[in-house]
Amino acid sequence: MTPSLALARAPRARRSWRKASVLPGFPLALGVTLTWLSLIFLIPLSALILRPWELGPAGIWAVVTDPRVLAALRISFGSAALAALVNAGLGLLIAWVLVRHPFPGRRLVDALVDLPFALPTAVAGIALTAIYAPNGPLGQPLSALGIQVAYTPLGIILALIFVGLPFVVRTVQPVLEDLSKDVEEAALTLGATPPQTAWRVVMPAVAPALLTGVGLAFARAAGEYGSVIFIAGNMPLRSEIAPLLIVIKLEQFDYAGAAAVGLAMLVLSFTGLLILNSVQGVLASRGRA
Amino acid sequence: MTSRSPTPGAAALILAALSTLGLLVVLPLAMVFHEAFRQGLGAYLAALAEPDAWSAMRLTLLVAAISVPLNAVFGLAAAWTIAKFEFPGRSLLVTLIDLPFSISPVVSGLVWVLLFGVNGWLGPLIQELGVRVIFNVTGVVLATVLVTLPFVARELIPLMEQQGADEEIAAITLGAGPWTTFFRVTLPNVKWGLLYGVLLCNARAMGEFGAVSVVSGHIRGLTNTLPLHVEILYNEYDFVGAFAVATVLAALALVTLALKSALEWRHAGELAAVRRH
């Protein structure tokens, strides 16, 4: 709406808090939406935010700075960040090939990219463990090389790469599809080498989408449970993830402690996403300049 | 795009992408079936015929049958509100609906324990009423509903925004009632998008593990869903049993992917162009 129009409409006699529409059903639809959202999400979430304070600020601090909790948070978020970084590369590669290099069976491969979304996490967890266990088809040759994957932090990262892979592919793919091939061809014709073209022409265009994908993969991986617990080995201080610690605290009926760890995970997740968002903002404004 | 034989560089890229997917995605899938049939078809079928596996299957179907329709109605209501009207707080509402996706499944289960567990806010109250939520089917349903909350809404919101409100306004102006307009104009326009959202919602509802694991209590034959049953069997070293049940879930994932791809190929124009997972 242009400013002049807004001014012209301001002195209306009957003002509404929403823009007028001839369509019916706004109160009903909004009512259903807000009621369901509150009952299923907002009220339960408020329990997560409020319950830790039963311990008092010092109590919360004691819980989240407990060495075992700190280690679990570091393992969950550190592995998630590493896995998201790996997924940035792998996802970019797969998206690029799917968009730019047609090959027979491309549609099937494209559909398979979503398998980590569709496959229940527990199934992925036991399958990855079977593959990378010391007697598994890949675990055996790897352990002969002295590399242990299952029951080590490496196994956690592997499982998180699995669950996060589709996020980067699916956010980057549409941007690459829209990116005109002419721009790259122009760069190449003007004497740029293929790596120069990829870095100076393609990367700036896909960078914001890539960051979005990395953020989604990170958020998903940081809270991941099902695919990780089978392969992690779950050794306190070494390969124990934060969600597992919540489960353990609940089994001991330590509700406030469990909620404190959950709240810490929430805060860390949003901090991570906020940082990525601001990097994206900087990139976007540089892209416009 | 022209189909010519790829340059060596392109071939190397294709090979790298395919081996990544093969190693990371196809191999685990193949492993599920390989392990399930390790001791032959007889052992596989025997593992699936277990009464506990059947009751887990029934519970999984029941939980999905309750939570998916509820979230489909929510998704339609949310999309109608957000896509067809402008009001303050609209983008906040979109963010809130998306939020359950960025929360750990375990936290999505934890919040229900904080409300309804023995030490929960409402724990004493519901105990007096003789109702059980935690370690009960009700808790499993609540956790599943929370985890799958955004699926239908986030598919329908961009789709309905894309379609605008012109057709509905025309119908209303020509004298159609609100429900007639919804059922004869809006619903036919979004039917494929709705199906797409329901498909993804259902896959997650049947496959959810973390959230359900926290509230279920793993009571065999009572509160055990298929994914939880996989865990129990695996922890008892019944690997053929665990992988046999896992093949059922893997088949569900494959059917979901096939239907999803079919929708994307045949009805791409009637799905949301902008879709985030």
Side-chain angles (χ1 to χ4, degrees), chain A:
Chain A
M1 198 191 295
T2 59
S4 61
L5 250 176
L7 282 176
R9 295 183 75 175
R12 257 189 329 189
R14 200 176 129 265
R15 258 186 239 165
S16 171
W17 60 281
R18 66 177 169 94
K19 220 174 136 193
S21 165
V22 298
L23 285 186
F26 181 74
L28 177 67
L30 182 69
V32 169
T33 305
L34 289 182
T35 308
W36 194 242
L37 193 65
S38 306
L39 287 178
I40 296 300
F41 184 49
L42 297 179
I43 294 172
L45 185 72
S46 69
L48 178 77
I49 294 170
L50 296 178
R51 292 243 11 199
W53 302 99
E54 288 168 9
L55 304 167
I60 296 179
W61 187 248
V63 170
V64 298
T65 54
D66 172 67
R68 191 169 166 193
V69 174
L70 270 184
L73 288 171
R74 199 165 42 234
I75 289 163
S76 272
F77 285 85
S79 314
L82 267 174
L85 219 65
V86 173
N87 274 332
L90 294 180
L92 202 56
L93 167 74
I94 291 167
W96 177 259
V97 167
L98 284 176
V99 174
R100 285 301 162 87
H101 298 294
F103 56 90
R106 194 186 64 95
R107 276 187 160 187
L108 179 71
V109 172
D110 191 274
L112 272 177
V113 168
D114 280 331
L115 188 76
F117 279 143
L119 195 68
T121 52
V123 177
I126 62 169
L128 289 171
T129 312
I131 293 170
Y132 292 97
N135 59 354
L138 289 182
Q140 206 160 19
L142 282 173
S143 65
L145 295 171
I147 304 168
Q148 279 272 14
V149 180
Y151 319 124
T152 70
L154 201 57
I156 300 178
I157 295 172
L158 182 80
L160 296 182
I161 293 173
F162 173 84
V163 297
L165 185 70
F167 290 96
V168 176
V169 180
R170 291 301 183 231
T171 44
V172 169
Q173 206 174 3
V175 179
L176 282 179
E177 271 161 7
D178 287 345
L179 190 66
S180 162
K181 223 175 170 175
D182 303 349
V183 188
E184 283 158 65
E185 273 161 11
L188 290 169
T189 324
L190 291 171
T193 62
Q196 270 177 332
T197 313
W199 188 246
R200 316 265 319 237
V201 178
V202 179
M203 267 316 268
V206 300
L210 184 63
L211 275 177
T212 304
V214 166
L216 290 171
F218 168 75
R220 167 70 199 265
E224 179 58 23
Y225 178 70
S227 60
V228 175
I229 51 160
F230 296 99
I231 202 170
N234 306 324
M235 303 245 298
L237 300 172
R238 186 157 176 264
S239 59
E240 185 177 60
I241 52 169
L244 179 63
L245 213 51
I246 293 179
V247 172
I248 292 172
K249 282 187 184 293
L250 275 182
E251 278 167 1
Q252 299 160 347
F253 296 97
D254 178 8
Y255 284 19
V261 177
L263 186 60
M265 286 181 68
L266 210 62
V267 170
L268 285 172
S269 263
F270 290 147
T271 313
L273 290 180
L274 220 62
I275 294 171
L276 274 174
N277 257 342
S278 41
V279 173
Q280 206 175 19
V282 171
L283 277 180
S285 62
R286 197 178 286 171
R288 267 197 300 276

Side-chain angles (χ1 to χ4, degrees), chain B residues 58-94:
Chain B
R58 270 197 303 277
L59 181 61
T60 292
L61 290 174
L62 174 74
V63 170
I66 298 172
S67 32
V68 175
L70 286 173
N71 277 335
V73 171
F74 166 75
L76 279 166
W80 181 267
T81 315
I82 289 165
K84 307 281 182 192
F85 298 94
E86 276 181 40
F87 55 96
R90 195 167 155 275
S91 56
L92 176 70
L93 194 56
V94 177

